[in-house]
Amino acid sequence: MSTIAGNAGKSDFKPVLWTPGDWNAFFGFGTNILVNMLVLTGLLRFVLKMPDSLVFGRILPALGLMMCLSTFYYAYLAYRLAQKTGRSDVCALPSGVSVPHMFIVTFVIMLPITIKTGDPLKGWSAGLVWVFFQSFILMIGGFIAPYIRKITPRAALLGTLAGVSVTFISMRPALEMYMTPQIGLVSFAIILLSWFGGIKYPKNIPAGLVAIGVGMVIAWGSNLFGLGLGGLSVKGVGDAFASFGFSLPIPAVGYVFSGFEFLGIILVTAIPFGIYDLVEAMDNVESAEAAGDEYPTTRVLTADGVVSLIGCMMGNPFINAVYIGHPGWKAMGGRIGYSAATGLMVVVLSFFGIISLLLALVPVVAISPILLYIGMLIGAQAFQTTPIKHAPAVVLALTPHLAAWAKLQIDTMLGATLSAAQTVGALAPDKVGAVKEAAIASLPQQGVMYHGLDVMGGGSILGGLILGAVGVFIIDREFVKASAFALAGAVMTYFGFMHGEAVGIGGGLGVTPGVALAYAVVAAGLYAAEKFGTAPLTVPQSEPHLAVPAE
């Protein structure tokens, strides 16, 4: 009888839509979204050279619609979960434009086609088709993902997520902070004192808002002394007003289907990155469950696919994704309202075209510490919510991401150097390829294993998951399961989803046949260890106490 009464009580529970902690999460997550929108706008305007009428009149309104639908839906899921469980601490999943894909669709799809055709509209159409296919991969994959989550160890899922966090989320804001430490370090200290140290600011002003406000004061105040910290100026603010206006999303179905002429180029990346989305979303749902909020994987992935498809049909060439960082926003006190409030904010920013004005007013380096804080929490969670004996497997899952990040830095440096050499007339255009090859060939002599970074970092999120799972099952002496994951690694490597430059079968032996063969040999060896090996006595290890940030 008590159980029935308890369940009835939970069904009658009315979750609070807004709590004081939602202010913290809103300013934190909202500024995260703002940074991504500012970067995205810069890519469209300055890399792809798209006209402002297209950027502010078509793409950003469609983007705003997609993100509003997404954040409202995840707020609804959080409300339902809170109502079902009778808990007041349920936090909505964060979501928005997938940041890795933002760069991939720009530099791998839209930019080459724009350069080849000389028409930014063609590049835009190709980007829409890319999202079109990825949306369906997500929707179909949503029904497969729960089974993958069921058989994959938490240390592998969270370990590969921590790899993304440490490299592609944490490193850039950390470096930005030290490029302008007068703003970055001060803002970072303000955030750490509140979100880790428990310090409350006057009138309970959110720490994120205090950090941004102090950063703005330092940046604009430095202009009085001619220092120019943060790169802000009155002229920049004046120029930003030129982008003001009001635009609603307009269907772009014709542009979607006209982009099918580039289908061959698009599918090469749409399929593997659709799978990447699948794994990343699973990781983030697992991360939320580790923080206490269990969401249905199928509904999450299907929602990402549906809202991405809607955004695509309205003219948005960027896919939606559940974001990494749920535990961070929850630790700040975020619950349900912060997600919906962020959706409303995005609609206002995108429909009225005021992104450039905000970029002219707020120094980005004052926002960077918030992203670093999120990266710190996600990296720590992989160790805190898994058994202590699995810690080596978590570290193993990190390594492909370190390789991918290091390779990206080298590639960017080489590209910039060669471009500069051409600009000053020190390098003939027909020699660029040869010089690049010679530079890469010389790196091992300097102790830089470029080829190793290239192979290990390819498909890093899948590579980290496979290595982490193999590590966990070996530690647990479940060698058949370890063998199965190693064999899965061999198959995915053969087709280029891991450790390869492109999806395919290469010359018939696979994209990177040596690595695929090595995984297969490891799989056979692990299987043999199960059948013929002996098991020594193991000493149980104690579990550590968890470090929980103050709200």
Side-chain angles (χ1 to χ4, degrees):
M1 293 294 292
S2 61
T3 303
I4 296 174
N7 289 339
K10 287 181 181 179
S11 65
D12 294 334
F13 178 68
K14 299 296 183 185
V16 178
L17 296 179
W18 189 268
T19 68
D22 279 310
W23 283 112
N24 269 329
F26 170 66
F27 282 105
F29 182 53
T31 50
N32 185 358
I33 292 293
L34 173 60
V35 169
N36 293 339
M37 292 182 71
L38 294 174
V39 172
L40 178 150
T41 304
L43 291 174
L44 293 171
R45 297 179 72 194
F46 305 120
V47 174
L48 297 172
K49 309 295 184 184
M50 290 186 176
D52 284 354
S53 58
L54 177 60
V55 174
F56 294 103
R58 300 294 300 272
I59 296 177
L60 287 182
L63 175 85
L65 173 64
M66 179 191 77
M67 292 177 66
C68 183
L69 291 174
S70 173
T71 52
F72 269 67
Y73 178 73
Y74 288 123
Y76 167 75
L77 275 189
Y79 183 88
R80 295 286 296 174
L81 180 60
Q83 192 175 47
K84 177 182 177 182
T85 60
R87 289 168 38 221
S88 59
D89 66 339
V90 172
C91 177
L93 288 168
S95 65
V97 173
S98 174
V99 177
H101 293 62
M102 184 167 72
F103 292 98
I104 293 296
V105 74
T106 297
F107 290 103
V108 177
I109 301 297
M110 292 197 285
L111 183 59
I113 290 174
T114 297
I115 293 174
K116 181 180 179 180
T117 62
D119 185 358
L121 289 179
K122 292 282 188 181
W124 175 46
S125 294
L128 295 177
V129 175
W130 194 76
V131 174
F132 180 84
F133 278 96
Q134 281 208 302
S135 299
F136 282 100
I137 292 170
L138 281 173
M139 285 186 274
I140 295 169
F143 296 94
I144 304 171
Y147 299 101
I148 299 175
R149 274 190 73 203
K150 188 176 181 180
I151 64 174
T152 306
R154 173 170 286 185
L157 289 168
L158 296 186
T160 194
L161 196 62
V164 177
S165 171
V166 170
T167 53
F168 293 98
I169 291 180
S170 299
M171 286 304 297
R172 182 181 178 91
L175 297 175
E176 286 175 343
M177 281 167 45
Y178 278 90
M179 290 172 65
T180 315
Q182 302 92 331
I183 297 175
L185 285 179
V186 172
S187 297
F188 190 45
I190 290 170
I191 286 170
L192 289 185
L193 280 172
S194 176
W195 292 344
F196 277 136
I199 297 296
K200 301 294 183 183
Y201 293 111
K203 300 186 183 298
N204 287 323
I205 300 176
L209 182 58
V210 174
I212 291 172
V214 170
M216 290 177 66
V217 170
I218 295 173
W220 285 104
S222 71
N223 289 348
L224 299 177
F225 303 96
L227 299 176
L229 300 176
L232 305 180
S233 67
V234 175
K235 181 181 182 301
V237 175
D239 294 341
F241 277 98
S243 301
F244 265 19
F246 181 74
S247 302
L248 290 172
I250 303 172
V253 178
Y255 288 101
V256 173
F257 289 103
S258 69
F260 271 72
E261 64 179 294
F262 307 108
L263 193 59
I265 301 173
I266 291 165
L267 286 180
V268 171
T269 55
I271 293 174
F273 276 95
I275 295 172
Y276 170 99
D277 277 338
L278 211 62
V279 177
E280 184 181 43
M282 285 192 301
D283 287 346
N284 292 333
V285 171
E286 183 74 20
S287 176
E289 184 175 329
D293 297 334
E294 185 176 355
Y295 288 101
T297 310
T298 299
R299 292 184 69 179
V300 169
L301 284 164
T302 304
D304 276 349
V306 170
V307 298
S308 295
L309 184 61
I310 293 172
C312 160
M313 289 300 182
M314 301 303 287
N316 168 46
F318 302 101
I319 200 160
N320 188 80
V322 169
Y323 270 9
I324 187 173
H326 168 278
W329 309 127
K330 184 169 184 173
M332 290 181 197
R335 298 298 178 253
I336 299 171
Y338 90 97
S339 180
T342 303
L344 291 175
M345 178 198 79
V346 170
V347 165
V348 173
L349 293 177
S350 57
F351 284 21
F352 286 90
I354 58 176
I355 293 292
S356 58
L357 176 61
L358 291 175
L359 182 59
L361 288 171
V362 179
V364 174
V365 68
I367 301 172
S368 298
I370 298 173
L371 304 183
L372 178 56
Y373 165 81
I374 294 299
M376 292 164 62
L377 278 188
I378 298 304
Q381 185 194 45
F383 294 96
Q384 293 175 334
T385 61
T386 56
I388 190 172
K389 65 179 181 177
H390 291 166
V394 173
V395 175
L396 184 59
L398 294 174
T399 54
H401 300 282
L402 297 173
W405 185 81
K407 180 181 179 293
L408 177 63
Q409 304 309 303
I410 295 172
D411 288 345
T412 304
M413 181 275 296
L414 282 174
T417 301
L418 293 172
S419 178
Q422 283 186 280
T423 301
V424 301
L427 181 64
D430 60 337
K431 299 292 184 181
V432 171
V435 171
K436 183 177 181 179
E437 289 181 12
I440 291 174
S442 69
L443 288 175
Q445 302 168 19
Q446 313 302 320
V448 179
M449 304 301 170
Y450 181 85
H451 181 64
L453 296 174
D454 185 22
V455 175
M456 189 177 194
S460 58
I461 196 162
L462 288 172
L465 186 145
I466 292 295
L467 289 175
V470 170
V472 166
F473 287 128
I474 289 177
I475 291 169
D476 289 344
R477 302 194 60 78
E478 298 184 80
F479 298 132
V480 169
K481 292 181 179 179
S483 174
F485 271 90
L487 184 60
V491 173
M492 286 191 285
T493 300
Y494 179 87
F495 290 107
F497 293 109
M498 292 165 44
H499 309 302
E501 297 178 353
V503 173
I505 58 172
L509 297 176
V511 176
T512 46
V515 183
L517 177 61
Y519 271 115
V521 170
V522 169
L526 289 168
Y527 186 81
E530 176 75 21
K531 297 302 180 183
F532 308 111
T534 57
L537 293 175
T538 57
V539 179
Q541 302 180 56
S542 61
E543 297 294 327
H545 294 290
L546 301 185
V548 181
E551 293 190 15

